[in-house]
Amino acid sequence: MKASYLYTFPLVLLSTACFGQRTAIAAAVNPYEYTIQKKITGSTGAVVSAHPLASEIGIVVMKQGGNAIDAAIATQLALAVVYPAAGNIGGGGFTVIRLANGSNVTIDYREKAPAKANRDMYLDKQGNAQTELSQNGHLSSGVPGTIAGLFDCMKYASLPFKKLIQPAIDLAEKGFVITEAEARSLNSHQAIFTKYNTVTPVFVKQTNWKAGDTLVQRDLANTLKRIRDKGKAGFYEGETARLIVEEMKRANGIISYDDLKKYEAKEREPVVFDYKTYKIITMPLPSSGGVLLPQMMHMIEDKPVKEYGFLSAQAVQLMTEIERRAYADRAKFLGDVDFYKVPVKKLTSKAYAAERMKDYNPQMAGTSQAIQAGTIPESEETTHFSVCDKNGNAVSVTTTLNGGYGSSTVVGGAGFFLNNEMDDFSIKPGVPNMYGAVGADANAIAPGKRMLSSMTPTIVLKNNKPYVVVGTPGGTTITTSVFQTLVDILEFEMSAEDAVNKPKFHHQWLPDQIDVEAAVPQAVRQQLQQMGYKVIQRGNIGRTEVIKMENGQIEAVADGRGDDSAAGY
Ligand code: DON
C-alpha cells in the first residue's frame, strides 16, 4: 500500500476572492482552498469523483438530508463546472443505481446522431474516412443527453432540483481555483480551442494558465440558471437550444432545434448477472460493457486465476485472451439495440463463454485477424464517479464528452463544450476510432441512433447489499479496467486501494497487443513476450473510482492517476 495514497494532499490554492451570496451547500465548500483526498473511510456516505469540489458538494448534499441519488446529481452538475475536460452538460453518459428497496435502475443518456446524420457523413468523395471531422469541431457532436439524464434521475432523488444545481451555478458564477493538472491541460489545448471556436471561450487566455488561477464561467452560469428555472426545457428548448443551433450554423454543425427538443433519455433494463456468490449490476447497450463484462467474468469464472496470482504472466495471459475474444465480438455484433438486432442473450450466456474459451492455450499467445490497427491515446477524459449512502442506495455514473474537451467547440454565449461522440460510431467498417476500436454495420451511423460506448458503471452486490461501486474513464480500456478491478477484488481479495492503484493492462483484439502501464514488471513483460505477445508500454490506464462497503464500513478510494478525490463521513 503506497503511503502517498493515504493522506490528504494539501493544494496551495488560496485566493482572497469572496464567494458572495451562496447557498448553504456552496457555503460549506470553499472553492478557493480545497484538498485532494485519495482515501476516506466512514460509515454514512461517500462520493469519489475526478474533482475534490465535486465530491465535497455531493457529501454536503447528503449531510443536508439528500440520498445518494441527490448527491450524484449535484456532483455531476458540479463536475460540469470544475472539470470541463469531461464533466459536462454538452455530452452524455450512463447511470446505474441500486436503490435501498432492492431495485436496480439504469439510465441511458448517451448522445444521439442528429436527424441530418447519415452513414457516410465522414467519408470523402473517394470513400476515405475523415476522422478529422468525426473527432473535432461542430460536425463531431451528437445531440447531448446529460441534462435529460439528470431529470430522469430526479425520480429517485429526495431534494428539489433547484437545490442540487445551485452549487454548480455558484461555482460557475463566482469561480474556483484550478489545480496544476487543470492548468497544464488547458494550456495544452489553447491552439485547438482557438481553431474550433467561433466565439472565443473563457478557456482561451493570452498568458498561460497556472495553478491557483480562478476560472469564472458566466455564460455557463446563465445556462445552468435557465435549467434551474425551466427544467429540461431550459436546455433543450428556448435560449440554450437557440444558442446551440446558432453555434452549429456558424460552422459545419447539423444539430437542429428539433433534434434537441426530441431528445429523450431512456431507462433501460439493467444487466444483472451472477459471479460466484456475487451479483453484478451494469449498464446494457449502448454500453458495450453490458455485454463484455458478463462475457469476460463468465470466461474467467472457472479458471484458477487466484492460483496464478495477481499480475503473474499466467494471469495476464488468461485475461488477455479473454479480452481478445470479448473485443472481437464487440467489433462485429455491438451497437444500439433500438436500431440493430444484437444477440445479447447468446453473447452473455455461460455456454457461449465456455465455447469461446475452448481454443484458449495457456502456454501460447493467440492472434487477432490482421486488419488496420489504430493507436490508443493516453488522455483520460471521460469521468466516472461512485456514490453510496447509509440507507443502501448506491450510484455508479460514467459520463463523457468523448475526447478531452469533446469537440473543442464551446457553444457561443452558453459556455459549455459540445461532445465529439460521433467518432464512437463506426464511421467506416474497419476504420479505427480514436481509441482504436473498429466496428461495422451494428454500429454504423443512422439518424437518431446512439453510438456504441465502452463506459461500464457497475455495482457489485454481496448478500444482496451494495459491496463495490466501480467505474472509470479510458475509452476502450474502460471495460477491461472494470473487469480487472473486479477480478482484483473478488478473486485476489485486494483492498479497494490496491485494486484502484496497482498497475493495469489492456487488450482489445485489434491492435493485437497488450498495453501495459509502466509499473508492470519487466519480468512479466518478458514472459509474455516469450509466449508470443507484443507488449507495449503506454501511459496511465483509466482513473478508477471505487467504493467498497462491508459490515457498515465504507472505504472510498480515488485513483492516484489524477486529481481525483474522495469525500465522506
Ligand atoms: O463512450 C465511450 O466509450 C467513449 N466516448 C469514452 C471516452 C473516454 O473514456 C475518454 N477517456 N479516455
Side-chain angles (χ1 to χ4, degrees):
M1 208 181 284
K2 280 190 188 165
S4 58
Y5 297 130
L6 289 173
Y7 59 79
T8 296
F9 289 80
L11 285 178
V12 189
L13 297 175
L14 300 168
S15 163
T16 51
C18 165
F19 208 35
Q21 290 296 310
R22 285 182 288 154
T23 58
I25 291 171
V29 175
N30 183 350
Y32 306 116
E33 190 182 357
Y34 53 88
T35 55
I36 292 176
Q37 295 193 103
K38 287 299 175 193
K39 176 179 167 178
I40 64 95
T41 50
S43 56
T44 313
V47 181
V48 204
S49 83
H51 202 284
L53 288 171
S55 300
E56 276 301 331
I57 281 168
I59 285 303
V60 179
V61 163
M62 260 190 230
K63 284 184 177 164
Q64 298 201 342
N67 60 23
I69 296 91
D70 294 296
I73 293 168
T75 298
Q76 183 153 3
L77 287 162
L79 282 169
V81 180
V82 297
Y83 192 50
N88 68 80
I89 57 172
F94 302 132
T95 293
V96 174
I97 306 174
R98 167 72 176 188
L99 290 167
N101 68 11
S103 50
N104 308 315
V105 177
T106 57
I107 299 173
D108 166 5
Y109 47 100
R110 182 71 162 164
E111 299 91 327
K112 284 180 163 199
K116 286 204 188 96
N118 69 74
R119 188 186 175 99
D120 298 332
M121 64 188 278
Y122 298 112
L123 302 186
D124 66 13
K125 287 204 177 92
Q126 287 72 44
N128 302 313
Q130 308 229 281
T131 48
E132 161 66 18
L133 292 176
S134 66
Q135 293 178 6
N136 303 290
H138 300 62
L139 193 60
S140 67
S141 300
V143 184
T146 298
I147 292 300
L150 287 178
F151 280 98
D152 272 20
C153 282
M154 280 304 294
K155 240 192 271 174
Y156 308 99
S158 65
L159 297 179
F161 186 76
K162 282 186 190 333
K163 200 163 180 175
L164 303 178
I165 196 172
Q166 194 59 43
I169 295 173
D170 293 340
L171 284 168
E173 195 159 47
K174 314 287 180 194
F176 66 100
V177 293
I178 63 169
T179 65
E180 178 77 46
E182 285 158 356
R184 221 178 313 121
S185 170
L186 287 172
N187 289 335
S188 67
H189 285 79
Q190 292 296 299
I192 197 165
F193 290 166
T194 305
K195 183 168 177 190
Y196 291 108
N197 280 286
T198 59
V199 177
T200 307
V202 291
F203 307 100
V204 171
K205 196 159 158 282
Q206 294 313 312
T207 54
N208 267 350
W209 289 96
K210 51 187 188 324
D213 282 350
T214 300
L215 177 60
V216 174
Q217 301 170 75
R218 289 202 184 83
D219 287 343
L220 177 59
N222 289 334
T223 300
L224 294 170
K225 282 180 193 170
R226 287 192 290 275
I227 298 166
R228 176 194 62 194
D229 298 339
K230 299 198 165 76
K232 194 180 153 194
F235 184 87
Y236 292 98
E237 296 175 53
E239 179 69 359
T240 312
R242 186 184 67 75
L243 289 167
I244 296 172
V245 174
E246 272 181 12
E247 184 59 57
M248 291 288 116
K249 287 184 181 155
R250 284 196 289 273
N252 55 352
I254 55 171
I255 297 174
S256 70
Y257 196 88
D258 205 43
D259 285 329
L260 291 161
K261 198 167 172 198
K262 281 196 184 136
Y263 183 89
E264 279 185 345
K266 269 198 166 177
E267 226 178 86
R268 295 194 184 267
E269 188 66 33
V271 171
V272 183
F273 63 96
D274 292 325
Y275 181 78
K276 298 188 175 172
T277 55
Y278 304 97
K279 265 202 183 345
I280 299 179
I281 309 157
T282 194
M283 189 70 209
L285 287 165
S287 161
S288 56
V291 173
L292 267 55
L293 191 62
Q295 262 192 345
M296 295 192 291
M297 295 302 286
H298 292 331
M299 286 192 233
I300 207 165
E301 196 163 3
D302 64 349
K303 299 283 183 292
V305 67
K306 194 173 173 187
E307 275 169 38
Y308 294 167
F310 169 71
L311 216 58
S312 64
Q314 250 186 319
V316 176
Q317 195 241 353
L318 168 64
M319 290 170 77
T320 293
E321 290 305 326
I322 287 172
E323 291 168 9
R324 180 202 304 284
R325 285 160 176 76
Y327 275 76
D329 284 350
R330 182 193 198 274
K332 182 162 183 197
F333 298 115
L334 304 193
D336 182 349
V337 279
D338 294 345
F339 284 74
Y340 195 89
K341 206 168 159 15
V342 181
V344 174
K345 237 191 167 143
K346 161 133 202 192
L347 290 172
T348 55
S349 73
K350 290 194 180 187
Y352 180 76
E355 184 64 33
R356 289 290 272 158
M357 287 301 276
K358 262 192 175 156
D359 54 358
Y360 158 67
N361 178 343
Q363 317 302 332
M364 233 177 69
T367 59
S368 301
Q369 188 190 356
I371 59 166
Q372 246 181 33
T375 50
I376 299 174
E378 295 175 5
S379 69
E380 304 304 343
E381 307 297 9
T382 294
T383 192
H384 176 85
F385 60 97
S386 299
V387 186
C388 72
D389 67 23
K390 65 174 188 308
N391 297 324
N393 297 299
V395 187
S396 188
V397 181
T398 315
T399 176
T400 190
L401 289 166
N402 194 22
Y405 306 97
S407 62
S408 294
T409 299
V410 174
V411 177
F416 60 89
F417 283 101
L418 285 170
N419 65 84
N420 59 343
E421 219 72 64
M422 291 296 283
D423 191 58
D424 272 349
F425 279 117
S426 168
I427 65 169
K428 183 181 177 181
V431 170
N433 73 1
M434 60 192 283
Y435 301 101
V438 290
D441 269 8
N443 191 31
I445 304 172
K449 186 174 174 182
R450 287 170 158 101
M451 55 297 279
L452 188 63
S453 173
S454 297
M455 294 185 287
T456 310
T458 298
I459 298 171
V460 180
L461 307 182
K462 185 175 180 178
N463 301 325
N464 243 9
K465 291 208 174 78
Y467 175 53
V468 176
V469 186
V470 57
T472 179
T476 41
T477 68
I478 292 174
T479 323
T480 50
S481 287
V482 171
F483 171 51
Q484 203 181 330
T485 308
L486 292 187
V487 172
D488 289 350
I489 295 176
L490 307 183
E491 289 292 342
F492 298 123
E493 295 171 25
M494 256 182 214
S495 66
E497 193 174 5
D498 280 351
V500 164
N501 291 308
K502 292 270 187 191
K504 296 209 160 47
F505 56 89
H506 169 75
H507 192 291
Q508 61 178 47
W509 181 54
L510 292 175
D512 191 352
Q513 64 192 41
I514 308 177
D515 294 311
V516 296
E517 287 189 313
V520 170
Q522 287 300 336
V524 175
R525 298 186 203 189
Q526 276 159 14
Q527 287 175 59
L528 290 165
Q529 280 157 349
Q530 277 156 15
M531 290 180 205
Y533 290 98
K534 186 170 165 193
V535 180
I536 304 286
Q537 184 177 312
R538 53 163 282 166
N540 292 339
I541 297 184
R543 281 165 64 172
T544 308
E545 322 285 22
V546 168
I547 298 178
K548 200 171 160 201
M549 291 148 280
E550 208 163 19
N551 306 322
Q553 278 302 302
I554 300 169
E555 184 190 9
V557 179
D559 201 306
R561 295 167 179 85
D563 283 344
D564 311 54
S565 190
Y569 62 123

